[in-house]
Amino acid sequence: MHVIHVVDGDWPLIIGDMQKQVAEKFITSQLAKIEDTKALDVEVSFIFGDPSIDIASTAVDLGADLIVIGRHRDRGIAEFFRGTTIERMARTSEVPILVARREPVAHYVRAVVGLDFSTCSSNAVSLATELVGANNVALMHAYHVPFKNLTMSTDRTGSISATDKRGIEDDIRREVDIWLNSMPIKIEKREVILHEGSAIDILPRVAAELGSDLICVGAHSRSWLSSAILGSTAHELLSYSNFDILIVPLCGKRVQDQIGKNEDAD
């Protein structure tokens, strides 16, 4: 395990050195309190630079399987314009990022994966399956019906009729089957949970209903801007969800190695 602390490279050197000394003392004392780290080979590193860039690049240099980071620190208006450290990191990281928001009490048992039929989504299914086992992964897709009040029968709450809903979801399930068959890894076909509405509202709700302790999403959607912009679901989950979140990149050696391992097993 590598513990990395990045000191802001914009600070004068003398202030940066003082911050490093304080951080080193604090991290050492924290590690000593965590019983599980005593059996690990832990290496602590300090870097002067930009956390969102240098943590991700160091993870690649180290051949890390996973970046683990806690709830971000509120830095006020600066993050309104630039985004949080986690968000900036997730846009370009080649290594999956686990955002730990809850106090750990046990190994992960169940995971919910949000599907948008992208390559990132496929990678999220692969890593979630490896982490908790295929039988403990629930697949969920949230869909939106545009202009439904004008094109379909709706009740007072804006809900569409059961017949219209069945027709829409039958079409989505056919698309799910095509997508599952096209994935580079083979997973057992399973029922995908479908809900009309926003993924940011539905994913946490489904996770709570199923007793899941982890939400997995791809870093990018199918948008042509996906290489530059963090997917809206991942962005919103980072901002508002209280669940631990696994953000899986579009590519990267760790993801490709896992896909290759699953293909060999088949």
Side-chain angles (χ1 to χ4, degrees):
M1 182 175 73
H2 296 267
V3 178
I4 300 171
H5 177 73
V6 180
V7 179
D8 193 334
D10 291 335
W11 287 108
L13 184 58
I14 186 171
I15 297 178
D17 283 337
M18 291 173 60
Q19 289 188 333
K20 176 185 173 182
Q21 292 175 20
V22 172
E24 185 171 14
K25 182 177 180 180
F26 176 78
I27 292 172
T28 300
S29 66
Q30 289 297 304
L31 288 173
K33 296 177 182 178
I34 303 174
E35 189 68 28
D36 290 343
T37 64
K38 295 179 180 179
L40 297 177
D41 182 12
V42 181
E43 180 177 331
V44 182
S45 302
F46 296 89
I47 301 171
F48 289 86
D50 183 331
S52 62
I53 297 173
D54 291 304
I55 292 176
S57 62
T58 301
V60 172
D61 293 341
L62 293 172
D65 299 325
L66 185 69
I67 295 173
V68 182
I69 191 166
R71 182 187 292 271
H72 75 273
R73 179 183 56 183
D74 185 4
R75 299 178 65 184
I77 195 169
E79 290 188 345
F80 176 81
F81 293 103
R82 298 178 59 204
T84 67
T85 296
I86 303 173
E87 290 169 2
R88 298 198 303 275
M89 189 189 310
R91 291 174 193 148
T92 58
S93 176
E94 297 181 20
V95 180
I97 299 173
L98 175 62
V99 183
R101 293 178 176 270
R102 297 179 169 184
E103 182 178 354
V105 294
H107 295 293
Y108 291 117
V109 176
R110 291 183 59 83
V112 174
V113 182
L115 303 184
D116 64 2
F117 310 129
S118 66
T119 302
C120 272
S121 189
S122 171
N123 294 342
V125 174
S126 174
L127 291 189
T129 299
E130 179 188 6
L131 189 60
V132 300
N135 293 331
N136 296 316
V137 175
L139 308 180
M140 198 226 77
H141 175 69
Y143 62 92
H144 171 65
V145 182
F147 308 112
K148 62 182 179 181
N149 290 330
L150 299 176
T151 59
M152 297 182 179
S153 300
T154 59
D155 60 21
R156 293 180 180 178
T157 66
S159 299
I160 59 178
S161 68
T163 300
D164 287 337
K165 181 178 181 180
R166 186 163 50 250
I168 291 170
E169 294 191 352
D170 285 346
D171 289 339
I172 294 175
R173 293 190 192 283
R174 282 191 285 270
E175 184 176 355
V176 169
D177 286 340
I178 294 172
W179 180 75
L180 288 174
N181 289 330
S182 68
M183 287 176 58
I185 62 171
K186 302 301 180 183
I187 64 170
E188 177 188 353
K189 283 196 175 183
R190 65 185 67 240
E191 188 75 7
V192 176
I193 302 169
L194 300 179
H195 277 287
E196 181 192 1
S198 168
I200 180 56
D201 295 325
I202 296 169
L203 266 172
R205 190 176 79 205
V206 170
E209 290 172 353
L210 296 178
S212 300
D213 40 22
L214 182 67
I215 294 176
C216 306
V217 292
H220 307 295
S221 65
R222 293 185 292 182
S223 165
W224 65 275
L225 288 172
S226 63
S227 62
I229 298 177
L230 187 66
S232 59
T233 299
H235 172 84
E236 294 293 327
L237 284 172
L238 287 175
S239 300
Y240 303 112
S241 174
N242 287 321
F243 279 85
D244 286 6
I245 304 166
L246 179 64
I247 303 175
V248 184
L250 179 65
C251 60
K253 185 177 185 303
R254 177 68 186 89
V255 173
Q256 297 305 321
D257 285 349
Q258 176 56 26
I259 291 174
K261 185 170 71 173
N262 286 335
E263 288 177 338
D264 292 341
D266 292 334

